[in-house]
Amino acid sequence: MSVLAIAEHRRGELRDVSLEQLAAGRDLAEATDGELHTAVIGGDVETFGAALNREGVDTVHTVDVGEEFNHDVYTQVVTQLTEQLEPSVLLMPNSVNGLDYAPAVANRLDRPLVTDVVDIDAEDGLTATRELYGSKVETTIDVHAEQAAVTLRPAEWPTIEADGDATIETFDPTIDESAVRSTVKGFEEVGGGDIDITDADVLVSVGRGIEEEENLDIIYDLAEALDATVAGSRPLIDNGWLEKDRQVGQSGKVVTPDVYIAIGISGAVQHVAGMKGSDTIVAINTDPNAPIFDIADYGIQDDLFEVVPALIEQFQ
């Protein structure tokens, strides 16, 4: 079973989901003695191509067609490359960009498309796992087709860190310029703008347990002591206590920091979906039955108004 994974970059940076797809693709390829191909479209293809040369990758395809994402260009390029390689599985990110072109590509190639996949294997034919009802239920889908297209949810697979010895090849697509009906003019930040919690190494995340907006001062003090970034669960964003850009969860952002400190967060499935990929999770909650403790590496069952000041004093 051969696999083709389409990388994603944004504003000059290769996104983590590109390397996560390689981990998923490598598992599929190794299980079936197949090959793993990956492709980067546009941007600094030389730099991105080298970054995608990771252990287990057989070939990296670079496509020099402009700087930023364009639906019409991506649709043509991915379709043409897939037709040339004929991979059994076409992997794409379940992101804003990925979901923009994936349906169009699958339609052109006449392939079934399974979106927002959190697990995939090929032991007995291709099967994909999706989460439903706010991540409360998992369903496994058997794909009865020799060739399929799949979008993978970010932060569900680890990134491959080891360098590889892949062949790097240039792919020259034939772009029908008359079919390119959109142009990227620029970018404008929305919401907080200055904060990107997805880039943080350490996140101090707070939930409704903080009780009052004025109590957030101790959270910011802890974040300062740890050189961390403040984030929060949906209730605080809905109350207007934190900017939308700081929301972690299914309706917010997916984060994978080195350390995630959950303070006064119960651990609803919608929130957990956005942070369960963190390397180390520390939970502070008075409720011993809080679901957050089920995924935490370290748990402190105590009053946050006693624990947080103690931590500030310790780290200062």
Side-chain angles (χ1 to χ4, degrees):
M1 177 180 289
S2 61
V3 179
L4 170 61
I6 306 300
E8 180 167 300
H9 59 90
R10 189 174 298 171
R11 303 184 71 173
E13 295 186 0
L14 194 67
R15 305 197 73 199
D16 286 346
V17 68
S18 303
L19 303 181
E20 294 162 10
Q21 287 187 136
L22 297 185
R26 182 176 65 178
D27 291 344
L28 290 175
E30 289 181 349
T32 57
D33 294 324
E35 292 189 346
L36 173 59
H37 296 253
T38 187
V40 59
I41 303 169
D44 187 351
V45 294
E46 183 176 344
T47 299
F48 293 152
L52 291 167
N53 187 358
R54 300 297 172 99
E55 185 179 50
V57 178
D58 293 289
T59 307
V60 178
H61 303 270
T62 59
V63 190
D64 191 2
V65 287
E67 290 300 315
E68 295 294 345
F69 172 79
N70 179 288
H71 165 86
D72 302 310
V73 173
Y74 264 62
T75 299
Q76 293 186 56
V77 172
V78 177
T79 299
Q80 292 176 31
L81 182 58
T82 304
E83 288 176 334
Q84 175 176 301
L85 299 176
E86 296 188 341
S88 303
V89 182
L90 171 62
L91 298 179
M92 296 163 283
N94 197 77
S95 62
V96 172
N97 288 353
L99 290 174
D100 184 285
Y101 69 87
V105 170
N107 182 63
R108 290 190 179 196
L109 296 172
D110 195 24
R111 291 187 176 213
L113 173 64
V114 187
T115 60
D116 200 22
V117 170
V118 298
D119 194 16
I120 189 169
D121 69 64
E123 288 186 9
D124 187 20
L126 185 67
T127 60
T129 301
R130 302 181 73 245
E131 293 180 340
L132 303 175
Y133 303 112
S135 299
K136 295 178 181 178
V137 176
E138 281 191 352
T139 181
T140 300
I141 299 171
D142 295 327
V143 182
H144 299 294
E146 293 184 1
Q147 297 178 326
V150 175
T151 66
L152 300 182
R153 181 185 294 182
E156 292 295 329
W157 281 266
T159 59
I160 297 178
E161 301 297 336
D163 293 334
D165 56 356
T167 300
I168 299 180
E169 298 182 353
T170 299
F171 177 70
D172 294 316
T174 301
I175 302 298
D176 179 3
E177 296 295 343
S178 66
V180 179
R181 298 181 294 271
S182 59
T183 303
V184 177
K185 294 293 188 181
F187 296 89
E188 182 177 344
E189 297 286 358
V190 297
D194 295 333
I195 300 296
D196 186 355
I197 60 175
T198 63
D199 287 337
D201 294 326
V202 181
L203 275 177
V204 176
S205 192
V206 59
R208 66 171 76 245
I210 198 66
E211 297 180 358
E212 301 290 342
E213 183 176 7
E214 53 265 30
N215 294 334
L216 285 173
D217 288 345
I218 62 171
I219 302 301
Y220 283 105
D221 289 344
L222 177 60
E224 183 178 358
L226 294 171
D227 193 22
T229 300
V230 172
S233 60
R234 180 170 179 172
L236 273 69
I237 281 71
D238 288 345
N239 288 343
W241 298 356
L242 291 175
E243 303 96 331
K244 175 66 176 177
D245 275 7
R246 294 183 186 268
Q247 182 181 339
V248 175
Q250 199 168 45
S251 56
K253 294 185 177 181
V254 175
V255 296
T256 55
D258 295 333
V259 179
Y260 187 89
I261 304 176
I263 302 174
I265 294 175
S266 62
V269 290
Q270 292 87 349
H271 184 81
V272 169
M275 46 70 71
K276 62 184 179 181
S278 304
D279 288 344
T280 300
I281 299 171
V282 181
I284 303 172
N285 204 295
T286 55
D287 181 4
N289 298 314
I292 193 70
F293 287 127
D294 293 336
I295 63 167
D297 298 288
Y298 301 94
I300 303 174
Q301 184 207 332
D302 207 337
D303 186 346
L304 72 86
F305 295 105
E306 295 183 6
V307 175
V308 173
L311 290 175
I312 295 170
E313 181 178 357
Q314 178 68 33
F315 287 106
Q316 281 180 336

